[in-house]
Amino acid sequence: APSVILSDIVHHYGPHRAVDGVSLSVAPREILCVVGPSGCGKSTLLRLVSGLETVQHGRISVGGKVLASPERSLPPERRPVGMMFQDFALFPHMTVAGNIAFGQTDRPRAERERRVAELLELMALTRYADAHPHTLSGGQQQRVALARAMARDPQVLLLDEPFSALDEQLRRSVRDEVVRLIRASGIATIVVTHDPEEAMEIGNRVAVMEAGRLVQTDTPLALYRQP
Ligand code: ADP
Ligand code: ADP
């Protein structure tokens, strides 16, 4: 499976450089956590990979296929990228199955339903297929969001502050479960968090971002050993 590679990415909002020359790569079976204070550019970085913002300099590619450069930008729905948001962003009027099926309309119905059923089972949500999201617990909603992000078999998963909407008590168990499911999938994953402790616990590598730049990327152990 291919790695996702970002080379010298720049994005500004007007004169403000939100992302200022970021290079990184994430391999399959790897979780890279991006940490840094609010406003340092973490969300913008994810939005550049998902295609919600355009790259003004540099290049994003997956397995040699260019997703984004100043000359060329695949629309979000054509990128092999799944995204999970902080507030889950589930569609309240759709069932759990409907949420997971969303974005697969280009697939034949039978294939789509097979994939939905598979993900329902993987996430232990089969009995909630016809329920609406607001009737589920926070942890269950999180799994629906993860299933939806995985439904199109992406080569990259992006998680933006995935656990911050959960209360302290739920957070650890949900996080362990979500990380287990992601590791089992083997999909190259980028997780953005403002919580360094969380990054150290779930990342294979941690990238520290400051004012639009990556100032250090290392394994949790190497970072932990620093004074
Ligand atoms: P983080 O996710 O680390 O909090 P963001 O990527 O959201 O950081 O924001 C990076 C910088 O870009 C911040 O200074 C923020 O105010 C600015 N910014 C983010 N989105 C926009 C936007 N749509 N228009 C203008 N400035 C923005
Ligand atoms: P709606 O949200 O329009 O009421 P559903 O939520 O019932 O529709 O279904 C949305 C999609 O999910 C459809 O493609 C349907 O075929 C599929 N789907 C619904 N229930 C299941 C299920 N239990 N297993 C697999 N696929 C399902």
Side-chain angles (χ1 to χ4, degrees):
S3 298
V4 55
I5 300 174
L6 280 65
S7 321
D8 202 16
I9 300 300
V10 173
H11 182 83
H12 19 90
Y13 297 108
H16 177 67
R17 283 202 172 209
V19 173
D20 191 7
V22 166
S23 298
L24 61 84
S25 72
V26 190
R29 313 207 162 274
E30 189 177 37
I31 298 179
L32 175 76
C33 284
V34 180
V35 288
S38 180
C40 73
K42 304 183 297 298
S43 293
T44 303
L45 192 65
L46 289 194
R47 292 167 63 81
L48 289 164
V49 179
S50 63
L52 299 173
E53 300 285 355
T54 58
V55 163
Q56 290 152 358
H57 180 87
R59 187 151 83 157
I60 302 172
S61 61
V62 175
K65 182 185 164 91
V66 177
L67 306 187
S69 72
E71 297 78 35
R72 192 177 137 71
S73 185
L74 284 183
E77 68 276 9
R78 293 192 46 217
R79 298 190 183 199
V81 173
M83 184 140 184
M84 198 170 111
F85 301 91
Q86 172 166 186
D87 55 358
F88 314 139
L90 297 173
F91 304 113
H93 60 286
M94 288 187 196
T95 63
V96 165
N99 268 277
I100 298 173
F102 181 83
Q104 294 193 70
T105 44
D106 52 332
R107 288 178 162 172
R109 188 185 172 89
E111 187 184 326
R112 188 170 68 216
E113 291 189 359
R114 183 163 44 75
R115 184 64 179 142
V116 171
E118 203 175 88
L119 284 164
L120 284 168
E121 193 177 329
L122 178 70
M123 305 290 170
L125 288 168
T126 303
R127 56 191 287 240
Y128 303 104
D130 300 324
H132 284 78
H134 68 271
T135 65
L136 305 186
S137 72
Q140 290 165 338
Q141 290 184 39
Q142 185 99 29
R143 297 205 301 278
V144 179
L146 181 62
R148 189 180 57 182
M150 288 184 175
R152 293 171 68 233
D153 301 310
Q155 290 171 327
V156 186
L157 270 181
L158 306 176
L159 284 68
D160 193 352
E161 299 280 359
F163 311 111
S164 51
L166 301 169
D167 65 54
E168 194 68 40
Q169 266 192 320
L170 253 183
R171 193 175 306 143
R172 181 170 295 269
S173 61
V174 170
R175 188 175 76 192
D176 290 351
E177 181 63 10
V178 165
V179 168
R180 187 184 68 77
L181 290 163
I182 290 174
R183 289 207 188 283
S185 78
I187 304 171
T189 300
I190 304 177
V191 179
V192 153
T193 173
H194 65 274
D195 180 354
E197 206 171 302
E198 179 165 284
M200 304 283 252
E201 283 181 23
I202 68 181
N204 300 88
R205 281 185 302 139
V206 177
V208 182
M209 197 165 181
E210 259 177 44
R213 295 179 159 272
L214 291 191
V215 293
Q216 186 175 11
T217 303
D218 235 321
T219 63
L221 190 61
L223 283 167
Y224 188 71
R225 280 185 177 149
Q226 300 215 335

